[in-house]
């Protein structure tokens, strides 16, 4: 049965992409373009994917669980710095943006 009539993608093809690791409609779209034209098949793709487990998503969740939530940056003493934050930069500020001092 066709799931995406715009690109002629069948339910079998969607299942094959899911078996190969595509867990979301967006990943299916990246694999075969289904859902990228009119969008009418996105719900059908969701139905084919179902709510079952996704091996890639489960592996990613295991990796996130084993990581530490924050890392201590060099030169910050015992302060914990959020991932992606440069040491010495105040939280809530961005490089190149000056915040006037309160008078």
């Amino acid at each position: 049965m066709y799931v995406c009539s715009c690109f002629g993608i069948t339910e079998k093809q969607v299942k094959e992409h899911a078996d190969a690791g595509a867990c979301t409609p967006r990943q299916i779209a990246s694999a075969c373009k289904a859902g990228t034209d009119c969008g009418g098949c996105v719900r059908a793709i969701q139905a084919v994917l179902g709510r079952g487990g996704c091996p890639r998503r489960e592996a990613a969740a295991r990796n996130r669980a084993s990581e530490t939530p924050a890392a201590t940056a060099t030169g910050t003493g015992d302060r914990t710095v959020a991932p992606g934050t440069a040491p010495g930069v105040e939280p809530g500020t961005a490089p190149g943006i000056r915040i006037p001092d309160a008078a």
Side-chain angles (χ1 to χ4, degrees), residues 3-64:
V3 173
C4 175
S5 59
C6 294
F7 293 104
I9 306 299
T10 64
E11 184 176 335
K12 179 182 176 191
Q13 289 171 302
V14 171
K15 287 180 181 179
E16 288 171 356
H17 289 299
D19 290 342
C23 302
T24 65
R26 183 170 285 173
Q27 292 170 342
I28 295 292
S30 293
C32 64
K33 293 187 177 181
T36 61
D37 194 24
C38 76
C41 61
V42 173
R43 290 194 187 266
I45 293 169
Q46 288 173 327
V48 170
L49 295 175
R51 294 193 176 259
C54 173
R56 285 177 50 193
R57 189 178 302 133
E58 291 167 1
R62 281 193 301 273
N63 289 341
R64 280 192 304 271

Side-chain angles (χ1 to χ4, degrees), residues 62-95:
R62 281 193 301 273
N63 289 341
R64 280 192 304 271
S66 66
E67 293 175 356
T68 57
T72 303
T74 306
T76 61
D78 292 328
R79 244 176 11 136
T80 300
V81 178
T85 304
V89 176
E90 283 298 314
T93 63

